Amino acid sequence: MRKHPAWFDTRRLTFRFYSLLGAAVLLLLVLALAGSHLAHRTMSAAAKLSQDGLGGIGHVIELQALLKRHQRLITDISTARNPNLVSATNGSLHDIEVRALALVSRAALTGEIERLVATLFARGADVDNLIEAHTTSANGNAFEAYLSQAITMEAVLAAEQKKRAAASKSLVDGLTLEASRLEVLAIGVLIVGLVVIGPLGLILFSDAIRRLRAVWCTLHQLASIDTPAPVPSLLDADEIGEMARTVQVFRDNALALSRNRNEVEQVNRWLDIALNNMARGISMFDSDQKLVLCNDMYRAMYALPDALTRQGTPATDILEHRKSRIVRVEYETPDTTPGATVTTAAERHAPPLVRPVDGEDSRAPLERFIAGGQMFSIYQYFDDGRIIALANKRLADGSWVAVHEDVTRDRQAEERIAVLAQTDALTGLANRRAFRDDLDRRCAAPGGPKDFAVHLIDLDEFKPVNDTYGHLAGDAVLAEVAKRLQGLVRDGDLVARVGGDEFAIIEIGAATTGAAAALASRVVAATAQPFALDEHWVVVGASVGIALAPEHGHSARDLLSHADLALYHSKQTGRGRHTVFEPAIANEADLQRALEVDLRNALELGQFELHYQPIVDAAHAEVVAFEALLRWRHPSRGMVPPMAFIPFAEASGLIVPIGAWALKQACRDAMTWPSNICVSVNLSAVQVHAGGIAETVAMTLAETGLSAKRLELEVTETLQLGDQPSAREQLLRLKSLGVRIALDDFGTGYASLSYLQRFPFDKLKIDRMFIADIADSRASLAIVEAVTSLARTLDMVTVAEGIETGEHLDRARAAGCVLLQGYLFSRPVPAHEVAALIGRHTQPKLTIAAA
Ligand code: C2E
Ligand code: MG
Ligand code: MG
């Protein structure tokens, strides 16, 4: 469909106004045309009237007057009959005739009247001529003819006059009619103009004005930021509608803007409240380092005068104001500013901070920061003791926001916490973290780690003390160890507690094995001294592993792992000693690891066997029992002693199946011996704690057919009876089977005599440590004697282990030991050699001992 051009849209005001204007112009045009037509008509009528009508009548009247004068002259001549007169009058007559003929032609009286006038003047000339000729008779006739002609003439002219008057009247009538029509037309046009176009125009105009005013009103309200009423005329199709719609858009935008402004104002108010009620100072600077805003706390913190908190105040002015009161500044930075020193946690027990270089103004970092530095956190120390932290964020446009917080209390607490975090609460020594930090720092020093030794110290017998005497006693021992260790080191050395019963020393300046070993021996000696508990003395002892820097490692990791291997070596090789790391130890450790891997398959591969060592009675040196001792026949390493693999078997739980195998094998072997000879089997604490040991033993006895009376189980003090009621129960159940229970290695450290109270052991095996000393140490002898007499009282049999010499034998017997065991009688032997031993010992008895 073809669209109308906009001006042709009948709903538009322009169209309507132009239509009305067009109609008015059209009416005026009609009126003008009618008027001009009438004027034209009037003009031609007037011309006609003047010429034919009124003018014609005038000419006729003038002609009548001339003819009257002509008649009077002719009459005068004819009455006077004087030829002189005629001659005198002739001129006048001639003049009248000329004028009359001119009138005739002017008045268009041609035709009949012209002919009549000519005839009249001819008759007059006849009269004239006759008089001149004195022809009186003829004269009368001529005159008569003239008069008649004159009368006819008069009648004709009168008729003409009448005719012309009538014609004029009809012309005037016609004009009158035209004029009245024009009047009607004018009135019609006026009426149409007044009644239709005018009111329509008025209505249109006033409606448009009214609607425009309504729209203006809305605009006005908008302009005066009043809430505007809805915009009128929105649905109108004309220009006002268009305008209203435009205003509507404008109004919506204005409303949205105003809403936004309200929201922004509200947010501003909230922000203001929030900012000024914050416990932190806030300041914001533009990219020209001029203050944009700040809050009350900021003003208060730095006691800023009003003049310095106005927008546009340069940051340097504000800084200048507070600088006089700042003592020093520290800052955290994402990168280390060249020339600045980084203090480490270990040094200050606080997060790493950068301090200004010596000689530099201690407040200089603040200026560097304002100049666009990268620091993100600054600590300002004020002369009144306050510490104000300034954290800042630079924005992409170069402006920045800074948050200022009084961290005096936090920093103090932080420092306290940092100190605590680096300290072992029990001993007051540095803790593991502090030790590690220190080691890391020394390793990270320029040029690498230099001339120090790392000692790792592990207390040998701490756990039993702790388990037996309780944690308080354990703590007391640890505190005492710490004290002793600190008494051994020089200034600058670091003593730390790095684990439950593990200590470490970083010994400065000890670059050689000899130097480090000197301290380590002092450590071993100091820890070997008994520790006094409330009512007891305990011996703990320690093993030490040493790594030297930089010889044994450049990193904390290497140094620690090498010191650890050395420590492990100390423990493996008898405890109570120190070892300086050497590569062979690492190899040994590797071998140990390989051994542990092999152990997992040893049982399945049948690599275990039992050796037996006789236990003889002190009185007759008769073999009363054999202790079953486990051996591992390793395919490549040969016979591996139990101490080389049992600790790992215990730690890995492998001891449970291995122990069960040993038990069964021992029972089977014992079944081949004389029925008066018993078998002693070692039981690991792990086996008891694992549970089900009584069932295993009962089943083994049932399977092998060995009488429970011939079986003895040896447990050590590592079996916790105090804390573990179930372990005690298991032992009781074993006893109820008829099996005897022996306490092995008695006196090796940890257990107090109260241990004996907790379970009715059948036997006490006095550790060979005491026997070894028995000849030289009165103390050892006294202990052995005390133990035997105690055992007797408690109805327990005593066994002295480690009888190697005759002296041992004599002393042990003298001390009252009931049974004896040791190399003096026999080393542990394979099962097939047991029979021979029985034969040998039962006969010569003490002869060997005597020899
Ligand atoms: P233990 O139960 O105290 O066994 C006695 C240890 O002392 C044996 O060492 C034995 O060879 C050694 N010995 C005996 N007489 C003398 C002597 O006169 N002088 C010296 N220096 N030593 C002597 P072995 O066979 O190396 O066993 C060491 C430890 O291994 C045993 O100490 C025991 O605790 C453990 N053990 C051995 N077999 C087993 C086992 O089947 N199960 C468990 N759980 N532990 C076992
Ligand atoms: Mg034993
Ligand atoms: Mg023993």
Side-chain angles (χ1 to χ4, degrees), residues 665-711:
Q665 190 55 44
C667 290
R668 271 197 197 130
D669 288 342
M671 281 299 283
T672 65
W673 306 336
S675 60
N676 61 329
I677 299 199
C678 301
V679 65
S680 227
V681 178
N682 290 286
L683 210 58
S684 161
V686 176
Q687 282 173 275
V688 181
H689 292 313
I693 187 66
E695 286 73 19
T696 309
V697 169
M699 232 165 66
T700 308
L701 290 175
E703 268 181 50
T704 56
L706 188 76
S707 154
K709 283 194 200 86
R710 293 181 62 196
L711 178 64

Side-chain angles (χ1 to χ4, degrees), residues 188-204:
V189 165
L190 201 67
I191 286 171
V192 169
L194 286 177
V195 171
V196 181
I197 298 176
L200 261 181
L202 262 177
I203 288 168
L204 204 62

Side-chain angles (χ1 to χ4, degrees), residues 627 682 714 716 743-746 765-768 801 821:
E627 178 173 4
N682 290 286
E714 297 185 7
T716 62
L743 181 58
D744 203 356
D745 304 338
F746 183 71
K765 295 187 79 174
I766 301 167
D767 194 76
R768 65 171 185 267
E801 290 182 318
Q821 182 180 358

Side-chain angles (χ1 to χ4, degrees), residues 645-665:
F645 64 88
I646 284 190
F648 174 72
E650 288 182 325
S652 61
L654 283 169
I655 193 68
V656 176
I658 294 173
W661 173 86
L663 176 72
K664 199 171 190 175
Q665 190 55 44

Side-chain angles (χ1 to χ4, degrees), residues 48-64 66 98-111 113-114 117 157 160-161 163-164:
K48 210 167 176 194
L49 203 61
S50 85
Q51 202 180 337
D52 296 353
L54 299 177
I57 290 171
H59 291 139
V60 171
I61 290 169
E62 202 181 335
L63 188 60
Q64 278 176 323
L66 281 175
V98 169
R99 282 172 61 195
L101 285 173
L103 266 176
V104 165
S105 66
R106 258 170 60 204
L109 295 170
T110 46
I113 291 179
E114 195 179 14
V117 169
L157 281 180
E160 182 67 25
Q161 200 180 335
K163 192 183 112 196
R164 294 218 171 195

